[in-house]
Amino acid sequence: MHRRAVLGTLAAGFGTLVAGCFGSRVDGEVISNETPLAFSHEYSTQATYSGTRVVVDVTAENQGIEPITPEGRVPRVVCTFLDNGGETLHRSGLELKRSIGVEETITLEFTLAVDVDDVSRYALRSEWVEE
């Protein structure tokens, strides 16, 4: 049992090393934003027991003049992972589930676990949706 855990740890560590050495750069940008949220974002390539994944960590700050609440109109943040040809590999979206005060920040995470070798960029979009 102990040997299996050690081998799994070594495999994950090697996967991280390989992903860091051989993985290509993934560029990201905010392509549209209808909300008062200001975004900062970065990606990482991570090794897991089931393979490699790309994770985009997003920090959003409410730069509006009033709190954003989860009633009525709410922000939906969408991350689209794209290949070199601009084809969508995966798209996921998250909607606000709690209030965000003025100048308060929230963190969001988007993960790509398939076609990881094909991803070359990601695009973030924030829009209002009716809850």
Side-chain angles (χ1 to χ4, degrees), residues 47-126:
T48 67
Y49 290 112
S50 61
T52 305
R53 66 185 189 159
V54 174
V55 177
V56 175
D57 291 308
V58 177
T59 301
E61 179 182 359
N62 179 2
Q63 292 187 340
I65 57 172
E66 58 187 46
I68 300 172
T69 63
E71 295 90 30
R73 275 183 8 152
V74 297
R76 176 189 302 151
V77 181
V78 177
C79 181
T80 305
F81 293 92
L82 304 154
D83 66 13
N84 275 333
E87 296 294 318
T88 298
L89 300 171
H90 178 69
R91 176 180 294 135
S92 62
L94 299 170
E95 293 181 13
L96 178 72
K97 298 296 182 199
R98 67 172 186 85
S99 295
I100 306 171
V102 174
E103 297 182 4
E104 185 178 12
T105 61
I106 59 168
T107 57
L108 308 167
E109 182 179 278
F110 299 95
T111 303
L112 176 69
V114 296
D115 299 324
V116 172
D117 293 335
D118 296 332
V119 68
S120 64
R121 64 188 177 99
Y122 62 89
L124 297 170
R125 186 177 77 242
S126 181

Side-chain angles (χ1 to χ4, degrees), residues 17-48:
L17 175 67
V18 170
C21 293
F22 299 114
S24 62
R25 171 142 177 82
V26 177
D27 294 315
E29 66 180 322
V30 177
I31 59 171
S32 69
N33 185 3
E34 301 173 354
T35 70
L37 297 173
F39 296 98
S40 61
H41 51 91
E42 63 184 9
Y43 83 97
S44 61
T45 304
Q46 302 173 349
T48 67

Side-chain angles (χ1 to χ4, degrees), residues 1-8:
M1 176 91 161
H2 185 265
R3 181 179 176 187
R4 192 178 299 168
V6 170
L7 290 175

